[in-house]
Structure formats: structure tokens, C-alpha cells
Amino acid sequence: MTRATTFAPIEITLRGGEQLHGYQHFRPGDEIRATVLLRPDRDMDARHVYARLQWHTEGRGERDEGVIEQRDVFQGRLRAMLPESFDLVFRLPEAPWSYTGHYVSIIWTITVEIDLAWARNPRHQQPFVMSPRRDEADDSYAGDQWQ
């Protein structure tokens, strides 16, 4: 579990898949389940709290990204020291697969963003690996280098 900022800590816990090489691993077509916990340290008016299943590229060249699904999970007042919790279920698409290469990487995340008026939006991303079943014989993944 991790937090986004001291202003509005956001924790995202992933369930399902399997833990491999320090990342939660899911296959194309799997359901990914997540619990989002918001713990604001002061009152705030959230115009929206968005939860997104998305991917983006990192590395050389221009950044590319895709939002597979976005949900508006909350609107209203978040109270200081009163946690809000949301359960999410997303279905993973068939592609693109996670990939780590010399020039470019494809990173999958569940992203939560609190839309605030006249303030910087707190945001947190929880990365995970999305690729076909690993080859049990050589402990690697088709098309990626997550070792």
C-alpha cells in the first residue's frame, strides 16, 4: 500500500493475480480487484473521485497512453480523518501487454485522482503487470523482461 500526498493520502490495494518479481501479475482477460482507501488530513470538497484502469509508455519518444475504463466513484465532501473506502472490479483487455525494453516500456496502473476546485488534484497510481501466463519452465514472461 502506498499514499499519494500528505494532503489526501490515497491507498490502492490490488487483489487477485499472483505476486511475481515484486509486482502483482494478471493475465489478459482477468478481473482485477482493487480497494481504494482515502484518508484526508483535512476537509475537502471532491468534485469527483475518478478510478481508472489505464496504461502508458515510458522511455524514448512521445508518451502514449490509453484509458481502458474510468469510473466516478465519489462526489461530495471528504471529512478529515474519516476514511472513505471503495471496491473496484475491472476486466483487463487482451492488449497491450506490459513490457520493459531498452527504449520503451508499457506500464499498467490503477489510478485514482481526486478532482478538487482551485487546487492540485491528488493522484496515486498502483502499477501491475499484465501479460500472458508465465512459462513455468524458464520463469519468464512472453514479451516482457520483468525479472
Side-chain angles (χ1 to χ4, degrees):
M1 289 190 261
T2 55
R3 293 183 179 167
T5 68
T6 58
F7 177 67
I10 301 170
E11 296 179 10
I12 303 171
T13 304
L14 301 180
R15 294 185 314 279
E18 58 184 316
Q19 185 76 11
L20 294 167
H21 308 294
Y23 289 91
Q24 202 68 18
H25 176 265
F26 297 88
R27 292 185 298 271
D30 279 355
E31 279 189 350
I32 182 169
R33 297 180 181 274
T35 298
V36 175
L37 181 61
L38 307 177
R39 294 188 210 207
D41 61 3
R42 63 181 177 169
D43 289 354
M44 66 178 82
D45 291 316
R47 295 190 300 187
H48 304 275
V49 176
Y50 294 113
R52 298 180 189 103
L53 171 64
Q54 63 186 61
W55 59 269
H56 67 272
T57 58
E58 292 180 357
R60 294 189 181 176
E62 292 183 26
R63 179 182 168 110
D64 196 11
E65 61 187 8
V67 175
I68 304 304
E69 189 173 346
Q70 173 176 285
R71 297 195 187 139
D72 191 347
V73 296
F74 182 84
Q75 297 175 4
R77 189 130 178 105
L78 293 169
R79 300 283 183 191
M81 305 305 165
L82 291 176
E84 289 283 344
S85 179
F86 310 97
D87 290 321
L88 304 168
V89 179
F90 292 109
R91 172 85 49 197
L92 294 172
E94 294 301 315
W97 299 343
S98 296
Y99 178 78
T100 300
H102 183 71
Y103 296 109
V104 70
S105 297
I106 299 173
I107 312 297
W108 277 91
T109 65
I110 298 287
T111 301
V112 174
E113 181 174 9
I114 302 172
D115 181 14
L116 301 173
W118 303 101
R120 185 172 184 192
N121 293 344
R123 184 171 97 150
H124 177 66
Q125 295 182 323
Q126 184 63 47
F128 62 92
V129 174
M130 199 273 284
S131 68
R133 178 179 285 281
R134 67 187 180 108
D135 182 346
E136 299 290 341
D138 68 6
D139 198 35
S140 66
Y141 299 96
D144 68 12
Q145 302 167 3
W146 285 94
Q147 299 182 26

